[in-house]
Amino acid sequence: MSLTGTYDDANIFAKILRGEAPCVKVYEDDHVLSFMDIFPQSSGHFLVLPKAKSRNLLELDDAALQETMVRVKRLAAAARKAFNPDGIVVTQFNGAPAGQTVFHTHFHIIPRWEGEALGRHGGGQADMDVLKDQAAKIAAAL
Ligand code: 5GP
């Protein structure tokens, strides 16, 4: 998938946004949906998606990006309060060669701890009960 092309309404995040596929929700409002990553790279790894359709950052409308980034910051602060990590990665990939695997724009929020290596991107599937507990902790810290 290159940086150019058309938005695919069948991508998994589009299905989650339409309620056709499940997610462990952290937060939702008119502008974004946030949910736990099911193949987490660290404990507490979650995602923030602008609801507006775009395949990547370069296609995302400026107003939607602003609304999204304010929420990314707020959600990262909630993750800090919930998990007390030593650091937090906020990242985002554009195009398959850059590491993007789902082509609806999204931001990763990944808590990090001193001495703990980052898991493989898209590695093993997490325990749903653990994800639900983490999502509840982030939501409670908002
Ligand atoms: P990307 O590589 O596109 O930046 O990230 C896509 C992320 O979505 C990956 O971290 C992957 O683990 C996660 N992911 C892929 N499929 C699903 C899914 O069906 N549900 C959830 N919650 N996360 C997913």
Side-chain angles (χ1 to χ4, degrees):
M1 280 277 194
S2 70
L3 282 178
T4 54
T6 52
Y7 183 89
D8 177 7
D9 281 304
N11 80 74
I12 183 63
F13 290 173
K15 288 182 182 166
I16 290 173
L17 282 163
R18 291 195 299 268
E20 296 167 8
C23 72
V24 178
K25 194 186 288 186
V26 173
Y27 175 79
E28 181 171 17
D29 64 20
D30 287 348
H31 297 284
V32 302
L33 175 65
S34 174
F35 52 83
M36 301 308 295
D37 194 302
I38 47 167
F39 305 107
Q41 285 188 271
S42 79
S43 176
H45 179 177
F46 67 116
L47 304 169
V48 185
L49 283 58
K51 287 189 169 177
K53 280 186 195 177
S54 66
R55 297 194 329 147
N56 57 61
L57 183 68
L58 305 180
E59 294 178 359
L60 184 62
D61 171 76
D62 284 357
L65 174 62
Q66 286 171 6
E67 298 288 1
T68 302
M69 289 314 291
V70 168
R71 288 158 177 81
V72 166
K73 179 184 173 186
R74 201 178 293 155
L75 285 156
R80 176 178 63 182
K81 195 168 159 192
F83 306 129
N84 193 28
D86 298 317
I88 299 176
V89 175
V90 173
T91 193
Q92 186 273 325
F93 305 107
N94 301 286
Q100 187 175 11
T101 58
V102 181
F103 298 92
H104 179 108
T105 308
H106 54 278
F107 293 83
H108 296 258
I109 298 178
I110 309 175
R112 298 295 310 274
W113 284 267
E114 213 71 70
E116 279 186 27
L118 202 59
R120 195 164 59 81
H121 189 53
Q125 186 162 338
D127 181 308
M128 286 300 141
D129 288 336
V130 170
L131 293 188
K132 283 179 191 162
D133 179 61
Q134 291 169 342
K137 286 191 169 115
I138 302 165
L142 275 168

